[in-house]
Amino acid sequence: MPRLLVNQQALRSAVQPAASGYVCLACRAQSQRHFSVSRRSRKEQLPFFKRLTKSIFGDEKSREASKKREDATRKRAEETVATGSVDYEQWVDEKGREWQRAAVVDPSINKDYKQSSDWAGLELIGGEQWVRERRDGGEQYIGFNPRRKTELTNEEWKNLLRHVIVEVMVAKQASLDLDTLTADREVDLDHWARTVGVTFEQKDGKLSMNFIKPGDRDLIVQALGLGVPTIVESEEATRAVDEAGEVVGFATDDIAASLEDKQPAAQDVADMAALDAQAKQRMHNIKIATQVTSGGSKHDLPAYAFMDPDIKLTIMKRVFQLTSHRLPDAVVSTASTPIDLYHAYITKPAPKKLAQTKELNKVKVSVPNVTVYSKRRTPIDKEKDVGRWKVIEEELLRRNLPVTGSRYQGAKTTTPLA
Amino acid sequence: MATKRALAPARTFLSGFRTAQTLPLTRSMATEAPLPQSILAEAHSAAHLTSTPTTPILHDTFTKPPPTAQSSRPTNPFLTTTTITTHAFPSLEPLAFHAYPSTHLLLPLRRDLLHRAVIFEGDATRQGTASTKYRSEVHGSNRKVRPQKGTGSARLGDKKSPMLRGGGVAFGPKPRDFATELNRKVYDRAMRTAISYRYRKGELFVLEDEAEIYDVGRESLQRYTKDFLRWQGWGHAGGRTLFVTRERREEFEWALSRETMGREARVLECEWVDVKDVLEMGRVVVERRALDWLFREHESDLPKEGRLMRALRDLSRRDAGSLEGEKLVQGQV
C-alpha cells in the first residue's frame, strides 16, 4: 500500500458523513502529523535493542551531523572574533535569498565580549509593532504647510504680508505664473529687505510700488527664480526712495550670524525627526527675517481692493506655506484688501476653555485668593497638591488594586496586572 | 449611525408631501387655449358626412406664447455669494476659489431645525428590538394559585401576574418602529444649515479632487495616514475629522479602518452622510463633487431659480459679463 498522506486521510474523514459532523481539535492535530500506513519489510527493520540504543544515544550519521553543526557554529564564532563586530551579517542561502542574521558570539572564544545582565539598551526583537516597522516602506508625508504654526507679532505679520504682496505683484506685473511663487525657496534676508522696504502708492485707482533702489525689481524677480522678466512699464512708476535706507535698519553681518549656515534641502530628509528639525529651522529663519526687516510705521499695507482672485489666493497660499496659518473661508470671502487680510491674521481664535478667556485671566491676577483651573478638580488632584498621591498610588499597586476606576474584564487600566 | 436616505421608508420623506401630478388636458376646461385655425377647419370638415375626404389630423400642435415680462420672476436682491477654497489632497495646497450662493453656504443658524433633524435621524436609526413578555405570553398555567377567599392572604389569579416574581411585565417594551416623520424640505434645510454652520466656523474644507492616497504601499498606509492627520492637526488631538467622498476610496478607507484609526478620523460616502455626522466631528473635509451632490440632494425647499446648478450658471454668466476694472463688491471674488 503506498504511503498515504495524513491530509488525504483527514480529507476522507471530512468528506464521509460523520455521525456528529464534528471533528475535534485533537483529531485535527493528529491528522496533520505524517504517518505511514505501510509496513516496513523485515529486512529493513533493525533489531529492537538496536533501535532502542539508536533512539537514545544516536547513530553515526546523527553524531556526524551534530558535529558538523557545532563546527559551523564555532567557525562563525571565530569569524566574529576576527571581524570584531557583533552586528547583523548578510547571508545568502542556497536558494539565493538574502538574509540578515545575527552574529554568533561565544564568550569562551571572544574574551572582549561582555554579556549583558539585563535587557536595558538591547534591541527588542519580535512583536506586532516590530513586524509592522520592518514591513513599513518608509514613505513620509510632507505637507504643503509647515508642521507647526509660526507665531508672529503684529509688526511681523505686517512685514510678512508686505513681502508676499510685493512678490505677487511683481510676478503679476511681469505676467508670470503665480504658482511658481510657492516653489520651495530658502530665506534670503536681502530679498526680504528689498520687498519689505517697498512703499505703495495709489493714484487714479491704480496701485504702484516704489522700490528702494532702481534695480530691486529685477533682483526680486531673479530671487523668485524666474529670470529677468519683460516689465510692463506703463502700469507703475518705479523710483528710488532715498530715505528708505534709514527706515530699514539692520546689519547684515548680525543677521547672517543669527542664521545657521546649513539649511538642508527637503529631498535630503529621511525621517520625521529630520523633517521637524528642518521645519523648525525654517520657522526660525522666517521669524528672524520678519523681525529684523521691520520698517517704520509709515510703511503700511495698501488699502487697495483685490481685483484678481488669483492674487488673493496666491497671497494666502504663500502665507500658509510659510507660517501654516490658515484663514477660514468665510473670512477670506469678505476680505477684499490686504488690510482685511492683516486683521484676519492677527485676530486670535476664541479660547476654547473658559479659564483661558481674558476675564478669567484678569481674575487670576487681580483676585489673589481665587484660583482658576482649566480642568475639573478631582480628589486625585487635591492629593497631588498635598504630595500624598505618590504614596497612595504605590500602596494601591502593591496591593494589586486598581489605581483609577474598577477592575473588571476589559477595563482600561494604567497599572500592570500582577 | 448613518442611514442611507434612499432606503428610508417612503412615508418618512414623502408623506404629507404632495407629489407632482400632471393634470390631464381635457376639452371641458373653460380656460382651454383656442386651437389653431387650420386644425379647426380640418375638424369641421371632417364632421360632415358628405364632405370630401380630408387629410387626417396627424399632429396637434400648440404654439407656445412668447415669454412676457410678467412671466419671469425678479431676481432676489438679497442673494449673495460666498467663496470656498479648494485644496489638493493630501498636501492641502490651496488650489482655487469657488463661489457658492448664500442659500447653500450662508444660511443662518437654526438650532431648532438641526435639533429636529438629529432627533429624526436618531429615531430612524433605532433598532427597536427590546421585547418583554406580557402576562399572557409567559409560560405557565392559568390555574388560580389560591382560593379567592378564606386564606387570609391577598387574592391571586395565575402565577404569571406582574406582581409576582417570574411573572410577566405589565407594560414592557415590545419591538416597534420608532421612526418619525419630518418634512423633506425641513430636513434639506437642516442639512444645508449644518454645512453652513461648519463653513462659518471655518471647519469646512473642500478638496478639489479625490480623497485618495496614491503611491504608498499597503504596509505603510496606516502610518502614513496617521502622520498626515497629525501633521495637519486633524487627528484625535484636533477633535477628529470626517472625510466625505463622492465614491468609495479603497486605500484611504482601508487605512482608516485599521485598529485605533477610528479615533483619529472617519470617512463616509456622501450618500451616507447625515446631519449628525456633519455636526459631530471637529471638522468636515469634503470633496467638491461630494459637496455639490449634497447640495443638489438637499435643496428641495428652494425654488427652481435658487437651486445650485442654476445659481452657479447665473454666477458664471455674471462673472463673464463683469469687467476686470470694476470694483468688487464685498462678499464677491
Side-chain angles (χ1 to χ4, degrees):
Chain A
M1 195 173 186
R3 181 185 286 263
L4 279 179
L5 285 175
V6 176
N7 291 343
Q8 290 176 6
Q9 181 86 4
L11 179 63
R12 190 186 299 158
S13 62
V15 167
Q16 281 172 358
S20 65
Y22 172 72
V23 178
C24 71
L25 278 174
C27 296
R28 275 190 231 159
Q30 201 167 11
S31 71
Q32 298 293 325
R33 285 205 298 271
H34 284 81
F35 67 93
S36 172
V37 297
S38 60
R39 287 187 67 180
R40 284 188 175 180
S41 64
R42 289 209 172 177
K43 285 183 185 175
E44 292 176 7
Q45 269 189 347
L46 289 171
F48 171 74
F49 186 70
K50 281 211 168 172
R51 269 189 284 140
L52 190 64
T53 50
K54 182 184 170 186
S55 67
I56 295 171
F57 300 109
D59 59 351
E60 194 62 36
K61 211 187 325 184
S62 66
R63 278 195 286 272
E64 278 176 12
S66 175
K67 189 171 181 308
K68 200 174 167 185
R69 278 195 296 271
E70 283 173 11
D71 290 341
T73 307
R74 191 174 179 81
K75 191 179 169 188
R76 282 182 62 193
E78 284 164 1
E79 279 173 13
T80 306
V81 175
T83 55
S85 165
V86 295
D87 294 333
Y88 286 111
E89 56 190 35
Q90 296 292 335
W91 173 60
V92 180
D93 64 1
E94 54 271 6
K95 290 188 182 176
R97 294 176 295 193
E98 286 187 10
W99 295 92
Q100 213 181 27
R101 63 180 183 183
V104 174
V105 177
D106 191 351
S108 59
I109 305 171
N110 195 345
K111 303 294 180 189
D112 297 333
Y113 180 77
K114 188 187 171 197
Q115 276 184 313
S116 174
S117 56
D118 55 14
W119 66 19
L122 296 181
E123 182 185 355
L124 294 174
I125 303 291
E128 286 187 21
Q129 185 64 24
W130 180 78
V131 170
R132 217 176 285 139
E133 281 169 10
R134 278 177 70 85
R135 282 188 184 166
D136 199 310
E139 296 94 331
Q140 289 295 335
Y141 171 75
I142 299 174
F144 178 76
N145 53 310
R147 199 168 178 200
R148 287 179 182 82
K149 283 187 182 175
T150 308
E151 296 302 330
L152 302 174
T153 61
N154 291 359
E155 199 58 41
E156 289 163 1
W157 270 116
K158 210 178 270 188
N159 292 333
L160 175 66
L161 281 172
R162 291 170 61 79
H163 164 76
V164 172
I165 288 168
V166 166
E167 280 190 340
V168 170
M169 298 208 52
V170 163
K172 190 74 183 169
Q173 285 175 355
S175 305
L176 297 165
D177 188 10
L178 294 178
D179 288 338
T180 50
L181 287 177
T182 51
D184 196 22
R185 284 180 277 134
E186 293 178 2
V187 176
D188 181 4
L189 279 183
D190 295 331
H191 173 66
W192 275 73
R194 278 182 224 117
T195 53
V196 176
V198 167
T199 53
F200 298 96
E201 198 178 312
Q202 291 192 49
K203 202 188 284 182
D204 301 329
K206 288 185 184 172
L207 184 71
S208 62
M209 293 184 288
N210 304 325
F211 293 87
I212 301 173
K213 292 176 191 168
D216 275 356
R217 176 193 292 276
D218 297 337
L219 290 172
I220 290 170
V221 173
Q222 277 178 15
L224 296 176
L226 304 173
V228 180
T230 307
I231 305 295
V232 182
E233 290 293 338
S234 61
E235 285 200 8
E236 57 86 35
T238 310
R239 60 173 183 266
V241 177
D242 296 332
E243 60 271 21
E246 66 191 35
V247 173
V248 183
F250 60 90
T252 47
D253 294 336
D254 294 340
I255 287 127
S258 67
L259 290 175
E260 283 187 16
D261 293 334
K262 192 177 173 189
Q263 293 182 6
Q267 296 84 353
D268 299 336
V269 170
D271 52 43
M272 195 58 82
L275 274 174
D276 272 351
Q278 186 208 15
K280 213 170 173 179
Q281 182 59 40
R282 181 162 294 180
M283 276 163 49
H284 174 72
N285 296 347
I286 289 168
K287 199 148 169 74
I288 295 274
T290 53
Q291 281 169 1
V292 299
T293 52
S294 97
S297 58
K298 60 183 176 180
H299 287 276
D300 288 330
L301 293 166
Y304 185 74
F306 296 114
M307 293 303 184
D308 191 354
D310 287 342
I311 292 179
K312 187 158 77 164
L313 177 69
T314 310
I315 292 170
M316 278 173 43
K317 204 167 153 176
R318 185 70 181 141
V319 172
F320 180 54
Q321 189 184 31
L322 292 175
T323 62
S324 197
H325 276 267
R326 202 187 263 129
L327 286 180
D329 285 328
V331 170
V332 168
S333 180
T334 53
S336 55
T337 64
I339 295 178
D340 294 337
L341 285 181
Y342 165 71
H343 285 298
Y345 278 119
I346 63 172
T347 306
K348 297 266 185 293
K352 300 233 184 231
K353 286 187 180 284
L354 185 63
Q356 294 163 358
T357 55
K358 210 190 302 181
E359 291 80 9
L360 281 179
N361 278 331
K362 275 188 197 166
V363 165
K364 283 180 200 172
V365 173
S366 59
V367 186
N369 59 332
V370 170
T371 316
V372 177
Y373 296 101
S374 59
K375 282 187 187 177
R376 189 170 69 93
R377 294 281 294 172
T378 62
I380 293 176
D381 291 319
K382 290 171 187 165
E383 299 286 1
K384 278 180 180 170
D385 287 343
V386 177
R388 205 184 294 141
W389 177 245
K390 285 178 290 194
V391 178
I392 296 171
E393 192 177 14
E394 201 181 310
E395 188 61 27
L396 285 170
L397 287 171
R398 196 181 65 80
R399 297 186 192 187
N400 193 24
L401 289 170
V403 176
T404 52
S406 59
R407 185 71 56 81
Y408 61 92
Q409 194 177 11
K412 283 188 216 174
T413 56
T414 54
T415 57
L417 290 172
Chain B
M1 192 173 162
T3 53
K4 197 160 186 177
R5 290 191 64 236
L7 296 176
R11 66 179 174 87
T12 311
F13 299 105
L14 298 177
S15 60
F17 181 101
R18 192 181 296 173
T19 54
Q21 293 175 2
T22 52
L23 296 169
L25 184 63
T26 59
R27 301 288 179 202
S28 62
M29 286 179 67
T31 54
E32 183 182 346
L35 293 173
Q37 290 300 319
S38 60
I39 294 174
L40 273 175
E42 284 172 3
H44 180 72
S45 63
H48 292 276
L49 296 174
T50 56
S51 64
T52 53
T54 56
T55 54
I57 301 171
L58 297 176
H59 60 276
D60 187 3
T61 57
F62 172 70
T63 307
K64 194 174 174 182
T68 56
Q70 287 86 20
S71 64
S72 60
R73 287 192 192 182
T75 53
N76 185 354
F78 301 105
L79 191 69
T80 57
T81 58
T82 189
T83 53
I84 206 154
T85 312
T86 52
H87 302 82
F89 186 84
S91 65
L92 298 186
E93 177 187 347
L95 292 178
F97 286 140
H98 288 274
Y100 282 89
S102 57
T103 49
H104 290 73
L105 269 184
L106 282 181
L107 285 177
L109 179 60
R110 285 283 303 272
R111 292 177 192 273
D112 59 324
L113 294 186
L114 295 178
H115 177 262
R116 285 180 75 182
V118 169
I119 296 298
F120 163 71
E121 286 163 1
D123 289 344
T125 311
R126 279 188 78 160
Q127 210 170 355
T129 50
S131 181
T132 51
K133 287 183 168 46
Y134 292 148
R135 65 182 295 169
S136 58
E137 294 166 344
V138 173
H139 181 77
S141 163
N142 292 335
R143 176 183 55 81
K144 193 166 170 68
V145 174
R146 53 173 173 260
Q148 182 78 5
K149 293 180 79 65
T151 59
S153 304
R155 49 192 177 179
L156 278 179
D158 57 19
K159 63 178 180 179
K160 297 182 285 179
S161 165
M163 298 212 282
L164 302 183
R165 180 177 176 274
V169 178
F171 296 104
K174 285 290 186 191
R176 60 187 172 111
D177 183 15
F178 285 86
T180 53
E181 294 176 4
L182 185 65
N183 294 352
R184 180 180 185 148
K185 292 185 182 179
V186 172
Y187 185 83
D188 288 350
R189 192 174 173 97
M191 176 64 86
R192 294 204 321 280
T193 302
I195 297 174
S196 302
Y197 173 69
R198 283 345 277 268
Y199 170 79
R200 204 180 270 107
K201 283 188 70 180
E203 291 162 358
L204 180 70
F205 298 89
V206 180
L207 305 175
E208 184 66 44
D209 294 317
E210 304 153 357
E212 182 65 294
I213 297 176
Y214 301 104
D215 302 329
V216 175
R218 267 282 167 107
E219 303 297 340
S220 335
L221 199 53
Q222 182 189 350
R223 194 253 324 140
Y224 184 90
T225 307
K226 204 165 188 176
D227 287 346
F228 154 64
L229 292 170
R230 283 190 180 167
W231 185 296
Q232 301 297 339
W234 285 2
H236 183 77
R240 297 165 73 200
T241 303
L242 172 70
F243 290 90
V244 179
T245 59
R246 181 67 184 95
E247 284 149 3
R248 186 180 161 82
R249 306 294 173 213
E250 295 286 342
E251 299 294 312
F252 193 48
E253 280 193 34
W254 183 90
L256 289 179
S257 66
R258 300 292 93 201
E259 64 273 3
T260 73
M261 289 303 286
R263 65 195 300 269
E264 305 284 342
R266 196 175 155 212
V267 59
L268 280 179
E269 290 176 52
C270 51
E271 292 120 352
W272 293 91
V273 170
D274 291 337
V275 173
K276 188 181 174 195
D277 297 325
V278 173
L279 298 171
E280 196 174 356
M281 304 251 184
R283 65 201 54 75
V284 177
V285 180
V286 58
E287 294 175 4
R288 191 160 69 87
R289 286 178 54 222
L291 185 66
D292 291 348
W293 186 92
L294 282 171
F295 283 149
R296 281 200 306 273
E297 279 294 302
H298 298 286
E299 55 182 10
S300 63
D301 58 307
L302 294 173
K304 280 186 184 170
E305 293 80 15
R307 296 200 178 169
L308 184 70
M309 289 292 107
R310 195 173 287 195
L312 291 176
R313 202 164 47 229
D314 292 342
L315 278 170
S316 61
R317 278 186 202 148
R318 189 166 55 177
D319 290 343
S322 64
L323 300 172
E324 280 192 8
E326 273 181 352
K327 259 199 171 174
L328 291 172
V329 178
Q330 191 173 16
Q332 291 180 344
V333 173

